[in-house]
Amino acid sequence: MGPAEVSAERRDEVRAVVERVTGWAAGREDVAGVLLVGSWARGAARADSDVDLVVLTTEPGRYADDEAWVRQLALGEVIRNRAWGPVVEWRHLAASGLEVEVDIGPLGWARTDPVDAGTRRVVTDGARPLHDPRGLLGALVEACGRSAQVSSVPASLPKSRSGSGGGPATSRP
């Protein structure tokens, strides 16, 4: 295995993180979507790649005011917390060294008419909806064009979960 290749252990760890966040989101009425973005979404992760997730909610302020969700997810120590436009980054460091960035934002981040330039950059760099009960993220990926869709998603990551009111399950600050 070369220095940039991802070990089976790291893939398993990332899969577990994605499943934990997706399961948590599915149990919350205010969470309208979870989007995996960046290198893991486009199938180009390296050994030192972080996991980047965008969580869209009807109540983004709730996550700034109450950190109970951070404890529930247990993604590691919070090493950075800062705003990037409408989203707030929560960067976690796991004991293994894996960094997990969870960006909490409002539903408007996924607006498609028009798509915000920053959101478009995030989506076209690699995006994979993981939880999309309202179809917001599928519509966003579609609005950003076919180039945003991932052709080779790592098979070790879970498939998208769509709810009954959602559309197809097809941005980082």
Side-chain angles (χ1 to χ4, degrees):
M1 178 169 71
E5 293 180 37
V6 179
S7 69
E9 292 81 13
R10 181 52 54 106
R11 284 189 186 281
D12 289 347
E13 181 180 17
V14 170
R15 184 180 348 96
V17 164
V18 166
E19 288 174 353
R20 187 175 327 139
V21 174
T22 303
W24 168 85
R28 301 189 61 87
E29 289 184 20
D30 66 294
V31 176
V34 177
L35 186 66
L36 177 67
V37 297
S39 62
W40 281 100
R42 68 177 178 273
R46 298 169 41 106
D48 61 349
S49 293
D50 64 346
V51 177
D52 299 299
L53 299 162
V54 177
V55 175
L56 299 182
T57 174
T58 58
E59 302 177 45
R62 173 184 196 178
Y63 296 90
D65 298 336
D66 180 7
E67 294 183 23
W69 69 276
V70 171
R71 291 185 298 281
Q72 287 175 341
L73 288 175
L75 299 174
E77 175 188 358
V78 175
I79 59 172
R80 186 166 62 214
N81 177 242
R82 66 178 170 189
W84 295 94
V87 300
V88 176
E89 169 194 14
W90 292 80
R91 182 167 288 274
H92 305 260
L93 179 62
S96 68
L98 177 66
E99 289 190 24
V100 180
E101 180 178 319
V102 179
D103 296 316
I104 305 287
L107 303 186
W109 186 87
R111 186 182 66 231
T112 58
D113 188 24
V115 175
D116 174 78
T119 298
R120 182 178 299 278
R121 276 191 304 276
V122 170
V123 171
T124 58
D125 187 43
R128 179 172 173 220
L130 300 173
H131 174 69
D132 193 21
R134 299 180 187 190
L136 295 172
L137 299 174
L140 175 62
V141 169
E142 183 67 28
C144 289
R146 297 269 178 224
S147 64
Q149 294 181 7
V150 178
S151 60
S152 176
V153 174
S156 62
L157 295 179
K159 301 293 183 208
S160 175
R161 296 181 186 179
S162 291
S164 57
T170 35
S171 36
R172 189 174 149 155

